[in-house]
Each structure stands twice: as structure tokens, then as C-alpha cells.
Amino acid sequence: MTDNFNKLNSHLEAIANAMPDPIFVMGQDGTYLDIIGGKERSLYADGQSLIGRKYQDVLPEKMAERFLKVVQKAIQTGRLNEIEYQLADGDVDGIESPRVTEGQWYEARVYPIDSETYGQPAVIWLAINITERKHMEEQIEHLSSNDPLTNLYNRDYFLDIVDEEINKAKLNNKPVSLCKINLDCFKRITDAYGHEMGDKAILTAAHAIKNVVKELGYIGRMSCDQFMMVLPEVKAVDAFRITKLAQETISAQKIKLGNNETTCLTSHAGVTDLRQETEHSEDLFKRVTTAIKALEGTREVTKIL
């Protein structure tokens, strides 16, 4: 019987020590009581130095409070609890690791231990490094909201931003302006020199607009050669100046077309702002589009409507 027991313990110990993900034993009083596994050094630092120390002694204050609440909830309810958190090795006092981490993401599964082996109610805290998954989720989210060529917001996501900013403006009684810039020469460049040069023209215009708008608002690519800007807390007269500067910056760029040929980009733009409490985004869209149409056949390039 003793031999079988020793053999079983030996097997369990070998399995536990071979586990790539760490299992912490966390006490109800906020103490790291034990650690099992966690041998994969490409994902985890060595946490043995944490044993016997309390969360508040080794973790940032808010993180320590959060950990303790999760542990105590699991003990009180007797149920599985789950938590996601971001933590860098440098955030944990006493952890030394050759890995350079700006903050790894972890998913923990926390479950109470029935045994009184550790002298107090405790839980097992299985920590799994999910940083790669988080990065993938961020990339998917980015692709769903951004135009792949210019990295500006895509049409659908931008329209949601406009609705949100208009609602904020109404709630806070603040101005908000909408601006639209249409490139005049995109089709000509694409027809004569191909889509690669067309993409170059779009990127040049997008870069110029971003350099002007910066933190003043949000920019969206509405179609192949049309851009929009929503400028929170900016009146139409100021939005006109910003849009005019964006157009001037666009036209100042030279695009090499090949055979030593170059061209500059020209555009027309419309500007409007929120006028009445009852207005919605559709009303502003119509006005900026009407403003641009009113410029056709004239020498003007920007118009407030």
C-alpha cells in the first residue's frame, strides 16, 4: 500500500512540475501559499519567490484588491470564478525575468480548495497566458473599424462615431462640425496610370489630412476618393479653416507618376455644423454634400452650408 501511495505521489508530482501553466494556491487572507507548474519560461516568470507574501506587498494596489475580491468570492460561493488581467513582470515585486514584457494578458480560473491543508480557506488560481489571443482580437477589431489602405476609420465605423459625437454635442450643448473632402483627380490618375498610382494618391491625401487634423477630431474614408472629418467642440467657421488647411496641404504634395512626370492633387470640400437640437447625422451629411455640389463649375474649393 505504501509503495502504491508513494508511486502515486511521485506521478502526481512529476505531472504537476511538468505543467507549462502555473497553478497558484491563494489564501483567503491574501497570501500566495504555493505554486505548482509554470515551467514554460517563454510565457511565465518564476513565481517561487512569491510564496508566503501577500498580494498587496507584491502587486499594484488596485490589482491586489481585485485579486483578493476574486479569491474571496470563489471561497464564499464555492463556485468557479474567471478573471482576465494584464500584468508585466515589472509590476510584480520580487519577480526577475529575462523576458521583456510591456504587459502580458492572462486568463485565470479560480476554484476553492475543500482541504484545510494550507491552514486557511484557499483557492487554486490557474493562470493561462492569453497575450497572443488578445493581440489577435485587437487585430480583428482594428480591421473591422479601419480602412486597410489608409488606416483611417472605415465608413461604417466612422458613421457610428459621428452619431456618438452629435449626441454628445446635444447633451453638453457644445458645437460639432462635419467636413467632407472629395478629391478631383483620383479617377484621372487611376485611368491613366493604374490603381497603384491611385492608391498612392489616396495615401498622400490621407496623410495630409491626418497631419492637419491630428487630435482635433476623427477622420473616415467614405469611399475611394472621399474623406470626412467630425470635429467635436469646433464651430463651422473654425472647421472651415481646418478643412481649407487640409486641402492646401493635400495640393502641396507632389506625386511622381513615372517618366519624370509629377502631379498635385486638387479637391473640393463642404463644411457644416450642428444647427438644431432636432438634427441628426443625416442632416449634416446632406448639407456637406450639397455644399460640394454647389462648388461645381466655380473656382471655390471650400464652402460652408
Side-chain angles (χ1 to χ4, degrees):
M1 178 67 74
T2 302
D3 289 342
N4 288 338
F5 182 77
N6 290 336
K7 186 177 181 181
L8 177 61
N9 279 346
S10 177
H11 288 173
L12 290 175
E13 183 178 359
I15 292 171
N17 289 333
M19 290 181 64
D21 302 309
I23 297 179
F24 295 93
V25 180
M26 314 279 260
Q28 182 176 244
D29 67 350
T31 303
Y32 287 90
L33 300 174
D34 202 354
I35 180 172
I36 303 165
K39 301 300 183 182
E40 183 49 69
R41 289 291 170 263
S42 65
L43 297 175
Y44 308 100
D46 185 355
Q48 291 294 327
S49 62
L50 299 177
I51 296 175
R53 304 180 70 183
K54 292 186 180 296
Y55 315 146
Q56 60 265 33
D57 295 333
V58 299
L59 296 172
E61 182 179 356
K62 290 185 178 179
M63 185 68 73
E65 292 175 356
R66 189 180 177 204
F67 276 27
L68 187 58
K69 286 180 181 179
V70 172
V71 168
Q72 292 178 344
K73 182 180 178 181
I75 292 171
Q76 290 167 4
T77 62
R79 295 180 179 177
L80 174 69
N81 279 254
E82 296 179 331
I83 177 177
E84 284 189 7
Y85 56 96
Q86 189 177 27
L87 200 62
D89 291 346
D91 293 333
V92 186
D93 184 52
I95 289 290
E96 295 184 4
S97 172
R99 296 182 300 122
V100 178
T101 59
E102 297 179 355
Q104 298 287 295
W105 278 97
Y106 300 93
E107 177 183 77
R109 297 171 64 81
V110 185
Y111 199 77
I113 299 173
D114 294 332
S115 173
E116 290 290 335
T117 303
Y118 292 96
Q120 64 169 295
V123 302
I124 56 171
W125 180 294
L126 172 60
I128 302 173
N129 191 310
I130 58 169
T131 304
E132 186 174 343
R133 189 189 82 191
K134 276 291 184 179
H135 287 169
M136 187 176 297
E137 289 174 354
E138 290 171 359
Q139 290 173 3
I140 293 172
E141 182 179 354
H142 181 80
L143 289 173
S144 69
S145 61
N146 290 68
D147 170 57
L149 176 63
T150 63
N151 204 33
L152 300 175
Y153 291 118
N154 61 35
R155 179 184 177 86
D156 290 342
Y157 196 84
F158 180 79
L159 295 180
D160 288 340
I161 292 176
V162 174
D163 286 333
E164 183 179 345
E165 291 303 324
I166 288 176
N167 289 335
K168 286 182 183 178
K170 290 179 180 179
L171 182 64
N172 300 314
N173 195 28
K174 297 284 187 179
V176 61
S177 293
L178 189 70
C179 321
K180 185 178 182 183
I181 298 177
N182 289 2
L183 299 183
D184 299 326
C185 46
F186 173 75
K187 189 175 187 305
R188 173 177 58 81
I189 292 174
T190 302
D191 289 347
Y193 299 96
H195 289 287
E196 184 176 347
M197 283 300 173
D199 287 348
K200 190 173 182 179
I202 293 298
L203 282 169
T204 300
H207 185 69
I209 296 171
K210 282 191 284 188
N211 281 344
V212 172
V213 175
K214 295 182 179 178
E215 304 300 323
L216 294 173
Y218 305 92
I219 313 167
R221 184 185 179 193
M222 307 308 288
S223 68
C224 60
D225 59 351
Q226 298 180 1
F227 303 90
M228 265 194 181
M229 304 171 288
V230 59
L231 306 176
E233 300 189 25
V234 176
K235 296 179 180 179
V237 63
D238 295 319
F240 177 88
R241 296 190 183 100
I242 293 169
T243 305
K244 187 81 169 177
L245 179 58
Q247 290 180 277
E248 291 170 356
T249 306
I250 291 171
S251 63
Q253 311 304 310
K254 297 292 185 181
I255 298 179
K256 295 181 180 180
L257 300 173
N259 298 324
N260 295 321
E261 292 182 83
T262 61
T263 187
C264 60
L265 302 175
T266 59
S267 63
H268 284 79
V271 177
T272 192
D273 59 358
L274 183 65
R275 308 281 173 78
Q276 300 177 19
E277 181 73 20
T278 56
E279 288 186 330
H280 298 285
S281 56
E282 293 82 359
D283 301 303
L284 277 67
F285 294 147
K286 288 177 182 177
R287 281 207 295 271
V288 293
T289 301
T290 301
I292 292 176
K293 287 183 178 179
L295 295 173
E296 294 178 359
T298 72
R299 293 187 177 183
E300 291 182 81
V301 293
T302 317
K303 187 176 183 66
I304 298 178
L305 197 65

